[in-house]
């Protein structure tokens, strides 16, 4: 579990570095963060997937806030990311909801725009 969290954090940190990454690499990293928001793993400790989901929300927040990354993303991918974050905003767990609301607020304040209707049409596992 910790390995997945650290891997996701590392990928986001690599993406935001001031180095030139290919667009397909940026897309793959953003898609990995979106996929993390669908992790509902459980074990004897409970919903451990929530740790991954919270890390995924934070990673998306980091990446979407960087103009050079945002400019490389197509609107469908941005809408998928926003939709996945919105989905976490209505989950049962308060830490997930809190991270989602904070992230959406920060992204709006930073000037990020997304198609509200498309973001709300997000379906788990498909687009």
């Amino acid at each position: 579990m910790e390995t997945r969290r650290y891997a996701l954090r590392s990928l986001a940190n690599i993406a935001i570095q001031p180095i030139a990454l290919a667009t397909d690499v940026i897309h793959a990293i953003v898609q990995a963060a979106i996929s993390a928001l669908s992790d509902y793993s459980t074990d004897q400790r409970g919903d451990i997937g929530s740790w991954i989901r919270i890390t995924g929300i934070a990673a998306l927040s980091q990446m979407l806030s960087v103009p050079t990354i945002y400019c490389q993303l197509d609107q469908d991918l941005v809408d998928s990311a926003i939709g996945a974050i919105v989905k976490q905003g209505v989950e049962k767990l308060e830490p997930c909801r809190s991270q989602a609301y904070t992230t959406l607020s920060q992204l709006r304040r930073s000037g990020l725009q997304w198609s509200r209707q498309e973001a709300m049409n997000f379906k788990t596992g498909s687009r």
Side-chain angles (χ1 to χ4, degrees):
M1 184 54 55
E2 290 299 318
T3 304
R4 285 190 273 175
R5 286 175 61 193
Y6 292 134
L8 195 52
R9 285 182 191 155
S10 296
L11 286 171
N13 286 334
I14 289 168
I16 64 170
Q17 295 301 311
I19 57 173
L21 292 175
T23 300
D24 59 333
V25 173
I26 296 292
H27 281 222
I29 293 172
V30 170
Q31 191 59 52
I34 293 170
S35 295
L37 273 58
S38 297
D39 189 327
Y40 289 88
S41 302
T42 59
D43 70 3
Q44 69 276 9
R45 297 172 286 180
D47 181 10
I48 57 173
S50 66
W51 305 339
I52 301 296
R53 295 192 308 271
I54 291 168
T55 303
I57 295 168
L60 286 169
S61 176
Q62 264 186 304
M63 292 184 289
L64 293 175
S65 297
V66 177
T68 56
I69 292 176
Y70 178 75
C71 290
Q72 293 184 51
L73 303 176
D74 56 39
Q75 192 61 45
D76 285 341
L77 191 56
V78 172
D79 287 341
S80 291
I82 298 301
I85 295 169
V86 167
K87 181 178 180 285
Q88 293 305 308
V90 296
E91 290 289 328
K92 290 181 185 177
L93 296 175
E94 177 59 29
C96 290
R97 287 195 317 259
S98 177
Q99 182 71 42
Y101 295 146
T102 300
T103 294
L104 290 170
S105 177
Q106 288 171 344
L107 292 174
R108 269 297 185 201
R109 280 195 310 268
S110 73
L112 183 70
Q113 298 295 313
W114 59 84
S115 167
R116 291 183 183 131
Q117 185 61 41
E118 286 302 314
M120 298 307 124
N121 288 336
F122 177 78
K123 292 180 177 59
T124 305
S126 65
R127 194 70 178 95

